[in-house]
Amino acid sequence: MRIEDVFIDTFNILKDNFIVLFISFIILCFLSTISFGILSPFLIAGFIMMYKKAYEGKIITIDMLFAYKNKFLPLLGLVILMLISIGIGTMLLIIPGLILSAMWLVAIPAMANEELSISEAIGASKKYINEIGFPRVFAIIIIIFILYMIIGFTFKTGNFFISSLFSFINIYVYGIIGVLYSKALQYET
């Protein structure tokens, strides 16, 4: 797997399905905001899996955003664990947080797509990332991190435009996760 293929495949999926993904992302942001983030895990799982389905050549629809509401509590628990662990890792000189981010990158779609507990989803993510190649995935995480840092340091924070720009970058970032998960599943077969 080449790093540039992940970015190109993600861009092509976004380009080919822009209206559906854009509307779905607006709904995700709105529902996440009014729920103070509580609904985010299953909505993000649905959004990531939309990219997976598109990668597989399937037609995606807005209702797919809600496909994993039955996994609300497990996904919420997984996300809370990930946020705490990655947050602590990031406070320890940034690199440990980036390493955890890379290792656990596909834990959310793994839990959504497979019948896994929190620890099994984290284990599956580590396995998938190692199969793809940790250095490649870590490089993708570094590229995303640098992109976020450039935007954050270039523009004033607290600005509505910048906040919106950060949000819309996530349309692409969630897509990268979906494409990586799809590529990892190809290694399984």
Side-chain angles (χ1 to χ4, degrees):
M1 179 199 82
R2 298 177 332 154
I3 293 172
E4 57 268 24
D5 290 342
V6 174
F7 288 98
I8 291 167
D9 290 345
T10 303
F11 178 79
N12 287 334
I13 291 168
L14 180 58
K15 178 182 59 124
D16 295 343
N17 299 280
F18 183 76
I19 300 296
V20 171
L21 290 168
F22 181 77
I23 292 170
S24 297
F25 189 74
I26 296 296
I27 293 168
L28 183 158
C29 290
F30 176 74
L31 292 176
S32 293
T33 301
I34 65 170
S35 71
F36 301 101
I38 300 296
L39 299 179
S40 296
F42 87 82
L43 294 169
I44 290 169
F47 194 76
I48 290 169
M49 295 304 286
M50 289 170 75
Y51 272 91
K52 177 190 176 292
K53 301 282 186 197
Y55 182 83
E56 295 168 347
K58 297 177 182 162
I59 295 172
I60 59 171
T61 58
I62 294 169
D63 64 320
M64 291 176 170
L65 186 63
F66 304 97
Y68 301 97
K69 64 183 177 287
N70 61 325
K71 295 188 177 188
F72 170 75
L73 287 176
L75 284 165
L76 182 62
L78 174 64
V79 168
I80 289 170
L81 175 66
M82 289 172 67
L83 287 173
I84 291 169
S85 301
I86 292 169
I88 290 169
T90 303
M91 287 188 287
L92 300 171
L93 304 173
I94 298 174
I95 299 298
L98 294 175
I99 291 170
L100 280 178
S101 294
M103 290 304 295
W104 296 354
L105 190 63
V106 296
I108 291 172
M111 178 178 269
N113 193 48
E114 305 166 37
E115 291 299 320
L116 302 175
S117 67
I118 292 172
S119 61
E120 290 169 335
I122 288 171
S125 182
K126 287 179 189 176
K127 179 178 143 247
Y128 291 145
I129 297 307
N130 285 327
E131 288 173 353
I132 292 171
F134 177 79
R136 292 182 189 109
V137 176
F138 191 71
I140 290 168
I141 291 292
I142 295 295
I143 291 167
I144 293 168
F145 179 75
I146 290 169
L147 179 63
Y148 279 132
M149 297 309 291
I150 289 170
I151 292 170
F153 287 127
T154 304
F155 303 100
K156 283 193 231 176
T157 56
N159 181 318
F160 177 75
F161 172 75
I162 302 310
S163 298
S164 300
L165 188 57
F166 269 125
S167 289
F168 285 109
I169 288 172
N170 287 332
I171 286 178
Y172 193 70
V173 171
Y174 294 150
I176 289 169
I177 296 168
V179 168
L180 279 171
Y181 180 64
S182 298
K183 289 182 180 293
L185 291 177
Q186 289 176 340
Y187 281 87
E188 290 282 299
T189 57

